[in-house]
Amino acid sequence: MNANTPRHDSAESESGSRFEWEQDAQLLSRTARDLPSGRHQFHRERLMAQIHEQVQREERTAAPAAPAKARRLRLPRPAITLPAMAFGLSAAIVAGVVAFGGGEGVRESGVATGPALTTDIGTATTKGVPQLLDQISLAAAEGDHPTVRAGQFIYIESVVADTHVRTVDDKSSLVGEELHKRQIWESADGVEGWLIDPAVNDSPEGETLTLPDEQGNTPKAHLGSPSYDYLAELTTDPDALLAKIYKETKGQGNTPDQQAFTTIGDLLTESYPPPELYSALFETAAKIPGVVVVDDAVDAAGRHGVAVARLDETSGQREEWIFDKKTHVYLGARNVQVKPLKEEGVLIKPGTVNFTMAIKNRAVVDGMKETPSAPAQAG
């Protein structure tokens, strides 16, 4: 797939686009192999950016802009389900997609693997959900939250790991990725960025996320790939915000409610919502059916907390946002298998931690690659 090939608003090009999608689906299914979760996510983000751009083109009556390639590398997410317009791609991606048009092949992750990650499932209840989210919303509104100015960067440091199916010589097994540090920088407008993550990068120095891409395209920020400036313009009215989330994520995820919950969860991790929006996100989450409280959950750093969660009935995974029990400060997130699931012939048992992360530092810095305790570096 060539993510940078312009398309024209005509019946011929639309037919050609769909033919290309089908060709790519066949190619991806043939080349599905084990892939480090971070690189898996990189390809998924490129694909999702294309899908988003195509949806926008189909909805507009004006001449479309050239499609853009996403360069933001978000945290890995298991059990991915893509929009129906992606045809057969979702199955190939869940299996661990390798190839896109550039001819990139399989490469080993710089992160060691071992046994599958496991945990106690914990008790989930709907009792006290509104009260807990109200307390979290108040804590979010009162927290220290500096404004990001033009020229500054959002710095987020986390520790992450996941469990995934690895296939070697046609034999599949469930393996757990070693916990490792991840650092990401992004400018307020989302145009400049840098990522250091051994599960993603070819080099220990990391790689640039700076736009535009090779064709001069700068993807427009949206809910699935937001910038600080984009978030600053979002409504803080919970009802209006939830309506926007449902509208813009239509066709994504296994259900609209689960996708809405996941979308909010993503905004809590590797983005930096302004304080009014940050507080409103929890009020919005309280309006999603099926949200529960888990009495005890542990983030990737080993910190115990209380979780706001929702079970995806299709995948059997429960997505959990973990908060300190006393201060209600956001600690991290994880996805826990609650119901057994077979993937590529491998049984994923209840208690398997499919994904886990913990926020270690979130700050506003003045330069690329600068950390709160270190000066900016060139590059």
Side-chain angles (χ1 to χ4, degrees):
M1 180 187 306
N2 185 346
N4 302 311
T5 302
R7 294 200 179 109
H8 302 284
D9 192 12
S10 66
E12 179 180 354
S13 65
E14 185 65 26
S15 175
S17 297
R18 296 190 180 275
F19 178 71
E20 289 170 8
W21 281 108
E22 291 170 348
Q23 280 190 317
D24 289 331
Q26 295 171 6
L27 171 63
L28 294 174
S29 63
R30 290 198 303 268
T31 57
R33 296 289 188 274
D34 176 47
L35 189 69
S37 60
R39 183 60 64 181
H40 175 177
Q41 177 71 4
F42 169 65
H43 290 311
R44 189 193 77 156
E45 289 295 338
R46 293 176 67 184
L47 177 60
M48 288 300 292
Q50 285 190 303
I51 292 171
H52 179 81
E53 290 295 320
Q54 185 165 330
V55 169
Q56 295 300 312
R57 283 197 301 271
E58 291 178 349
E59 290 178 348
R60 289 193 298 260
T61 56
K69 180 178 73 175
R71 289 295 301 143
R72 299 179 183 85
L73 279 71
R74 296 291 170 188
L75 284 164
R77 285 282 180 179
I80 300 162
T81 302
L82 298 180
M85 65 178 294
F87 300 98
L89 290 176
S90 63
I93 288 179
V94 171
V97 176
V98 178
F100 271 72
E104 181 179 28
V106 178
R107 79 169 175 85
E108 293 298 323
S109 169
V111 177
T113 56
L117 309 177
T118 60
T119 189
D120 292 331
I121 293 177
T123 303
T125 177
T126 57
K127 185 178 180 180
V129 171
Q131 292 85 350
L132 176 61
L133 282 167
D134 185 56
Q135 292 171 334
I136 293 170
S137 178
L138 289 173
E142 295 171 356
D144 182 23
H145 214 100
T147 301
V148 186
R149 301 189 307 270
Q152 290 187 310
F153 290 81
I154 297 158
Y155 169 72
I156 300 174
E157 178 184 325
S158 58
V159 288
V160 300
D162 76 0
T163 296
H164 59 274
V165 175
R166 179 172 64 189
T167 302
V168 179
D169 297 329
D170 296 326
K171 294 182 179 179
S172 298
S173 61
L174 198 63
V175 297
E177 182 181 77
E178 185 178 59
L179 189 71
H180 62 278
K181 182 166 76 172
R182 175 180 167 100
Q183 297 168 282
I184 190 167
W185 291 259
E186 186 174 70
S187 60
D189 60 7
V191 173
E192 296 181 84
W194 194 269
L195 174 72
I196 300 176
D197 184 340
V200 176
N201 305 141
D202 295 309
S203 165
E205 288 77 29
E207 62 186 274
T208 182
L209 306 180
T210 297
L211 301 168
D213 63 17
E214 296 90 337
Q215 301 300 315
N217 301 315
T218 301
K220 186 179 180 181
H222 54 89
L223 278 172
S225 187
S227 65
Y228 177 84
D229 290 347
Y230 172 85
L231 295 175
E233 297 297 322
L234 285 181
T235 178
T236 57
D237 176 80
D239 291 314
L241 181 57
L242 185 58
K244 179 180 179 63
I245 291 172
Y246 279 128
K247 179 180 179 180
E248 295 200 10
T249 62
K250 184 177 180 180
Q252 299 176 24
N254 290 324
T255 66
D257 291 334
Q258 187 62 40
Q259 184 58 38
F261 189 81
T262 296
T263 298
I264 295 175
D266 287 344
L267 295 179
L268 302 179
T269 53
E270 282 193 350
S271 70
Y272 191 78
E276 295 83 3
L277 176 63
Y278 191 51
S279 179
L281 288 173
F282 302 111
E283 298 178 58
T284 304
K287 297 178 178 294
I288 301 174
V291 176
V292 298
V293 173
V294 179
D295 60 343
D296 185 58
V298 186
D299 71 5
R303 300 174 297 193
H304 286 256
V306 61
V308 174
R310 193 179 192 284
L311 175 64
D312 185 333
E313 295 287 352
T314 303
S315 68
Q317 291 185 33
R318 189 171 66 202
E319 180 177 342
E320 302 176 350
W321 311 337
I322 306 171
F323 300 86
D324 184 276
K325 290 184 179 181
K326 293 182 178 179
T327 65
H328 298 112
V329 169
Y330 178 76
L331 300 177
R334 68 179 186 178
N335 279 32
V336 177
Q337 197 71 37
V338 174
K339 298 180 179 180
L341 174 73
K342 268 199 171 183
E343 183 177 321
E344 299 182 68
V346 177
L347 178 64
I348 304 177
K349 299 178 180 179
T352 300
V353 179
N354 297 288
F355 167 76
T356 181
M357 63 82 63
I359 296 292
K360 301 296 287 184
N361 202 342
R362 194 192 312 251
V364 178
V365 295
D366 292 327
M368 184 87 80
K369 301 190 204 175
E370 177 182 331
T371 65
S373 59
Q377 302 175 35

